[in-house]
Amino acid sequence: MTAQPTTDLAAFFSSMTHEGLPPAIRDLVTDIILDTVASAIAGRHGDETSQIAALADAIGGPATSTVIAGRPASLAGATLINGYQVTAVTVCDIHRPTLCHVTPEVIPPALAWAEAHHARGRDFLVAVAAGLEAVVRVGTGMNYPAMRARGWHSPGVIGPFGGATAVGRLMGLDPLRFRNALSLAGTQSAGTFAHWGTPTIKFHQSRGALSGLMAALLAQTGFKAGPEVLTAAHGGLFNLYSDGGDGAAAVADLGERWMLETISLRLWPAGSSIQSVITAMFALIEAHGLTPDTVEEIEVGLSKTVYDMHGTLPWDNRFRALLSTPYVVGVVLHDRACWFEQFRPERIADPGLDAFIRGRVRVRIDETVKGTGAAVTIRTRDGQRLTDRRDHPRGDAADRLSRAEIVDKFRRSADGLLPRDRTERAIEMIVGIEGLADMAELCAVLAAPHSA
Amino acid sequence: MDQTPTETPTETLAAFAAGHSAEALPASARVAARNLLLDSVACALASDFSDETDVYAQFARAAGGAGQSSIIGSAERLSPLGASLLNAYQITAATVCDTYVPAHVHITPEIVPPALAIAERDGASGAALLGAIAIGSEVAVRVAAGINYAVAGPRGWHMPGIVGPFGAAAAVGRILGLAPLQMRNAFGLAGSQSAGTWASWGTPTVKFHQSRGAGSGLLAALLAQTGFTASADILTHRDGGILNAYSDGGRPGAITQALGTAWEFEEIALRIWPGGTPLQPTLTAAFDLLRSAAPDFGAIARVRIEVSPDVHEAHARFVRPKGTFEALLSFHFAVASALRDGSFWLTSLSSAQIEDPAIVAFMADRMEIVANPAIPRQVSIVTIEMTDGRKLVARADAAKGTRANPATVEDLRGKFHKCAAGRLSAADEAELLDIILSIEAQTDLSRFFALLRKPGPRQTAA
């Protein structure tokens, strides 16, 4: 049992090198960067993205930092907007054990800092790996069930550690400054499920990204903070947010086991906890050639936790449709696709689709379904009963996407938002990020065409 | 089941914050709000007494960037975010700013800077600024009362970063003219950023909470203005409402009870002297004695300081303080300095003074601090025995600067002068004071902001 996980994490990240990352982890982090940038491009479709952009304008500062597929903003502003865009259309990563989107808090602040300081691609990759690892490890130290019971939403609570770590790694902070950066991240941990069903739940990711950036910037000046923000007797995060936690778990096998491998990606926009439902639906549709007129009834079994969040929500707007199990089931059956077209207001309002969902889709609690798994049973008009059970969705850490699938997601995301040649150039640069001399070059390719 | 939808405490507070007319503030609340503005500008001008202010300015520059918002005491102008962060830090930097004692929370650092930044950007009037400070402060202390610090404090929460964003969002939201629904969303967004624990006690990071709180409230109000939506009930939501997540359900009634009638923010105490809040009753008694009897320092045989047992337990250890941080918590040092010099100010906290042999010997040989179970923590008794046998006793039932023993305008002018001395010309200081004292009548604040930017590095201290 370590008495000082914050100090140990800081020391590790402070001295982390490219050579210390196994090739498989470098490949995985490259995939995660590719997926995150794809998600951020797609985030231009987000209904609230323009509101975050207006906020970024209002907080001021010179517009020197790239907004992915958008107009430039200040360092803080671009961090807020990119943080929001990554998560805006609900297609980004998810760390299921802590229900945390990790990439929105890690990659935007690292990108902003790397662009401003012309960091090399390989240093950026190491920084992102460090940031992802920091979030997952701090999250692993938390007693998540207790944390969730108190109402905490992970991205704003553990996310700031990721941005602080990624930017701190790029800055090359010494161990003491690094520890202060982590403490300054933890002293900004915030955000609860009170906002479930409103976009503020996603603002946690955006604000978490800014908090991490601020923590690193302040620590870089030599500003001092408490030594053990995670385990301090009075005000330590493990106690305060999760009734105890486990400091040893947070630092177990540091540098040998890469906990970032437990981060999952998503092929489809829609709530992270209902990706198994979509996986099962596509599997059934493909195996049996199902169409709406052949289906009598669809029954979806979910765990109680997922049912409570995604089983009963109305699908009256895009934001909620993306989180609604009945809507997603219905639209996937009708369209044999799950992308942004499926969540346009006119599609959501389609009376035929709506009537089908209300008449033929049932969602219930299934005690045999664990976590974010799903059991989908379809009764066809000709009397068949077809079932598909999933413990994990496609994209899960246990069922990884191939790079080709992620590249395909990138192209779909960029369609209509970046010129095709820029899209291909960006994919090429990210796939070869370890050889990229200057991250500002990638940012120039990712900027909106009219602002380049 | 309720047949009619009832308003949540968050909605009630938001409707109050958005709708309460500044003209309807009672005179006492207007004076209190004006004094908060006066005192916060004074405190910011004293920020050069703190070692970290310069590096914090570097940070605010990096995080916020250049812009058009005034920095108190500097010609440099930063973005609204950068100015909110830096001005907030400056107000709290030298540990002489306000305290809402029931929740152990500093209020002005979170509220005044973002209100200033948006008032300056939008050309708001002095009356609008004053209303924003009053309502913003009221919102912050109401949320603090609702959280119930007696529960949240022992858990490890530090209130400025938790309730400050609400007050700052209310103050900025007033200037932006947010509608009640937007204000409710601003509160939701404020609460989504509530953060800060005592894990960094003893480091400047506890002051970062005030600064971040200011920035968080600014972000909340500006984002809510765009129509961004948030929880309808960030305060008492069963799953993650502030009163549940940070406390044990708190006291929701304390948030809304007599809202707009009883002005809880008038309880915010100002500090006439540096030093921790618990020292202020003792300093009040000591200065009463200095004024009434002017004892000769060389002829003092013995000083006895009586405080409540809990204050004694926290502070009796600092009988021989090492460094500024401990000196600010040391009853021995503060009272010895006051008795010898007839004053106790930030200039008293130099290492030369802390190590001054005369002070050190006096603290060791002639002073004692004792716990008196018969007195509460806001009371202190100072007894001086002179070598000729005379005995001088003063009892302070409340610290100077509290509602029960209010600071007079002259007290605040005196503090302002000490903060501004060596940084502003006498004429500029007088003009700035005049503007602040008549802030409600100022329709154009551009001269006020110009004067805030005028002070240079301190030449000679008062």
Side-chain angles (χ1 to χ4, degrees):
Chain A
M1 176 77 191
T2 175
Q4 45 175 28
T6 319
T7 304
D8 294 351
L9 288 171
F12 173 72
F13 291 125
S14 174
S15 61
M16 189 169 148
T17 61
H18 184 256
E19 292 68 35
L21 281 174
I25 297 299
R26 295 182 207 163
D27 281 347
L28 176 58
V29 173
T30 302
D31 282 349
I32 292 174
I33 295 169
L34 196 58
D35 184 81
T36 304
V37 173
S39 301
I41 299 171
R44 298 301 294 175
H45 292 293
D47 289 329
E48 310 83 18
T49 300
S50 62
Q51 295 175 318
I52 302 290
L55 167 67
D57 276 347
I59 63 170
T64 51
S65 297
T66 293
V67 169
I68 294 172
R71 282 187 302 111
S74 66
L75 188 78
T79 301
L80 283 169
I81 302 172
N82 287 331
Y84 198 85
Q85 283 185 197
V86 173
T87 196
V89 291
T90 323
V91 69
C92 72
D93 78 287
I94 173 79
H95 180 248
R96 292 187 204 283
T98 57
L99 220 63
C100 185
H101 304 299
V102 182
T103 56
E105 302 94 76
V106 172
I107 292 184
L111 188 69
W113 203 93
E115 178 184 29
H117 296 270
H118 299 279
R120 293 186 303 174
R122 59 183 269 163
D123 295 332
F124 178 76
L125 178 95
V126 174
V128 170
L132 300 173
E133 187 71 8
V135 176
V136 177
R137 282 185 172 273
V138 172
T140 301
M142 293 277 184
N143 172 2
Y144 183 71
M147 178 175 157
R148 178 63 192 87
R150 285 196 175 276
W152 299 110
H153 182 222
S154 293
V157 175
I158 60 178
F161 287 92
T165 298
V167 178
R169 181 57 258 156
L170 283 166
M171 289 170 169
L173 296 185
D174 62 49
L176 182 60
R177 280 179 164 80
F178 221 112
R179 193 195 71 188
N180 288 332
L182 297 183
S183 287
L184 285 161
T187 215
Q188 302 184 70
S189 291
T192 76
F193 273 100
H195 299 292
W196 180 245
T198 77
T200 295
I201 205 81
K202 296 183 176 180
F203 179 65
H204 295 159
Q205 283 86 283
S206 171
R207 183 63 176 92
L210 178 60
S211 296
L213 175 72
M214 285 171 56
L217 289 171
L218 185 50
Q220 190 184 31
T221 70
F223 197 81
K224 293 186 185 65
E228 277 300 327
V229 75
L230 295 173
T231 54
H234 191 50
L237 264 58
F238 287 160
N239 273 325
L240 202 45
Y241 291 75
S242 79
D243 299 343
D246 183 350
V251 296
D253 309 322
L254 201 50
E256 288 158 31
R257 186 155 54 95
W258 293 88
M259 292 194 185
L260 64 84
E261 287 186 284
T262 59
I263 294 172
S264 299
L265 301 179
R266 272 187 276 191
L267 265 188
W268 307 290
S272 58
S273 300
I274 57 175
Q275 299 277 311
S276 295
V277 177
I278 304 171
T279 305
M281 281 301 296
F282 276 115
L284 288 167
I285 291 167
E286 277 158 33
H288 306 284
L290 299 173
T291 56
D293 51 4
T294 62
V295 169
E296 183 65 36
E297 190 181 58
I298 306 177
E299 187 179 89
V300 182
L302 300 172
S303 68
K304 179 168 190 314
T305 315
V306 175
Y307 177 85
D308 287 347
M309 290 173 72
H310 300 282
T312 59
L313 207 64
W315 55 90
D316 51 343
N317 65 22
R318 179 163 72 166
F319 187 90
R320 287 193 279 266
L322 282 161
L323 302 174
S324 161
T325 302
Y327 180 76
V328 165
V329 164
V331 81
V332 165
L333 178 66
H334 279 72
D335 296 1
R336 294 193 168 203
C338 189
W339 200 243
F340 300 112
E341 295 77 6
Q342 279 65 53
F343 298 94
R344 294 228 162 96
E346 55 275 22
R347 189 71 190 113
I348 295 167
D350 183 290
L353 175 60
D354 196 69
F356 179 92
I357 297 168
R358 289 178 199 280
R360 299 177 190 275
V361 180
R362 305 270 172 273
V363 183
R364 62 177 184 83
I365 297 168
D366 181 339
E367 305 289 345
T368 69
V369 172
K370 299 294 172 223
T372 55
V376 177
T377 301
I378 295 183
R379 202 151 49 79
T380 62
R381 294 243 163 125
D382 58 11
Q384 294 183 75
R385 251 180 92 82
L386 311 168
T387 297
D388 190 286
R389 294 183 69 92
R390 297 275 157 175
D391 292 333
H392 312 285
R394 285 286 297 137
D396 190 86
D399 186 8
R400 287 213 174 283
L401 304 181
S402 67
R403 179 159 297 171
E405 284 175 297
I406 299 171
V407 166
D408 179 61
K409 176 179 167 184
F410 196 107
R411 289 187 180 124
R412 278 188 284 141
S413 299
D415 186 34
L417 291 166
L418 282 183
R420 192 153 304 167
D421 58 330
R422 292 252 222 122
T423 302
E424 295 308 317
R425 181 77 188 115
I427 292 169
E428 199 180 305
M429 288 170 105
I430 295 171
V431 167
I433 198 156
E434 290 176 84
L436 187 63
D438 181 351
M439 285 296 292
E441 292 174 28
L442 173 60
C443 289
V445 173
L446 291 174
H450 57 268
S451 64
Chain B
M1 195 169 160
D2 288 345
Q3 293 303 303
T4 50
T6 48
E7 204 174 50
T8 66
T10 313
E11 288 167 331
T12 305
L13 191 65
F16 159 76
H20 196 280
S21 151
E23 290 78 45
L25 286 168
S28 62
R30 292 169 192 224
V31 169
R34 182 204 67 191
N35 288 351
L36 292 179
L37 176 63
L38 176 63
D39 191 66
S40 54
V41 172
C43 292
L45 290 174
S47 65
D48 59 324
F49 284 103
S50 164
D51 294 336
E52 295 82 21
T53 304
D54 285 346
V55 298
Y56 206 84
Q58 284 174 35
F59 159 70
R61 235 170 258 141
Q68 293 303 311
S69 302
S70 295
I71 303 303
I72 300 171
S74 167
E76 184 178 19
R77 298 175 88 159
L78 295 180
S79 66
L81 176 62
S84 296
L85 291 170
L86 181 51
N87 283 329
Y89 195 86
Q90 290 195 146
I91 292 171
T92 196
T95 322
V96 282
C97 75
D98 74 283
T99 307
Y100 174 65
V101 178
H104 215 76
V105 58
H106 306 301
I107 299 292
T108 56
E110 299 96 82
I111 287 158
V112 174
L116 287 177
I118 299 305
E120 183 176 26
R121 184 195 75 175
D122 294 354
S125 68
L129 176 64
L130 188 87
I133 292 170
I135 301 293
S137 302
E138 184 68 12
V139 165
V141 300
R142 289 282 182 159
V143 175
I147 286 178
N148 190 7
Y149 188 70
V151 174
R155 279 199 187 164
W157 297 111
H158 183 217
M159 290 292 116
I162 294 164
V163 305
F166 286 88
V172 174
R174 292 276 305 187
I175 296 169
L176 295 174
L178 296 189
L181 180 63
Q182 289 173 310
M183 189 68 90
R184 184 207 79 184
N185 289 329
F187 289 172
L189 287 159
S192 83
Q193 303 176 71
S194 286
T197 85
W198 285 112
S200 283
W201 174 237
T203 75
T205 291
V206 291
K207 296 182 176 179
F208 171 64
H209 296 157
Q210 281 87 280
S211 171
R212 183 186 185 274
S216 298
L218 175 75
L219 292 176
L222 291 172
L223 185 51
Q225 189 187 26
T226 72
F228 202 85
T229 56
S231 170
D233 189 16
I234 186 59
L235 292 170
T236 58
H237 195 289
R238 168 185 59 77
D239 187 14
I242 296 292
L243 269 53
N244 290 312
Y246 297 80
S247 187
D248 61 351
R251 300 177 300 198
I255 297 173
T256 52
Q257 191 179 21
L259 193 59
T261 316
W263 294 89
E264 182 65 16
F265 87 94
E266 292 181 38
E267 289 293 335
I268 297 172
L270 302 179
R271 272 186 274 196
I272 305 303
W273 307 284
T277 301
L279 276 73
Q280 303 293 320
T282 300
L283 283 163
T284 303
F287 278 97
D288 283 350
L289 275 180
L290 278 166
R291 239 186 321 275
S292 61
D296 173 15
F297 186 67
I300 293 174
R302 191 107 200 114
V303 178
R304 176 184 163 90
I305 300 165
E306 290 170 65
V307 295
S308 67
D310 59 328
V311 170
H312 185 266
E313 190 189 333
H315 291 267
R317 68 191 82 161
F318 303 115
V319 296
R320 170 74 171 90
K322 298 271 182 286
T324 308
F325 187 85
E326 288 188 11
L328 284 163
L329 301 174
S330 168
F331 283 72
H332 278 56
F333 179 75
V335 173
S337 291
L339 292 176
R340 188 187 70 170
D341 304 336
S343 66
F344 183 60
W345 186 237
L346 295 162
T347 45
S348 312
L349 292 157
S350 66
S351 51
Q353 172 110 345
I354 296 168
E355 296 302 327
D356 184 329
I359 296 278
V360 170
F362 189 85
M363 291 192 295
D365 302 338
R366 304 189 190 192
M367 299 188 77
E368 63 176 332
I369 179 165
V370 297
N372 179 346
I375 60 177
R377 61 185 289 125
Q378 69 270 22
V379 173
S380 180
I381 302 166
V382 175
T383 306
I384 298 179
E385 286 172 37
M386 304 301 290
T387 47
D388 63 8
R390 270 190 308 148
K391 198 169 177 180
L392 313 168
V393 183
R395 174 185 167 110
D397 285 314
K400 190 77 176 164
T402 59
R403 194 180 203 172
N405 185 7
T408 64
V409 171
E410 281 319 302
D411 292 328
L412 295 175
R413 277 178 181 273
K415 177 178 174 182
F416 192 96
H417 176 69
K418 284 189 281 189
C419 295
R423 300 198 66 185
L424 266 178
S425 71
D428 287 340
E429 182 189 324
E431 188 185 357
L432 180 53
L433 263 170
D434 281 349
I435 290 177
I436 297 174
L437 289 171
S438 62
I439 194 76
E440 271 188 283
Q442 306 289 328
T443 51
D444 177 357
L445 292 177
S446 52
R447 180 65 186 157
F448 167 66
F449 285 109
L451 285 165
L452 288 185
R453 293 192 299 270
K454 222 165 171 184
R458 195 176 302 273
Q459 303 302 320
T460 51

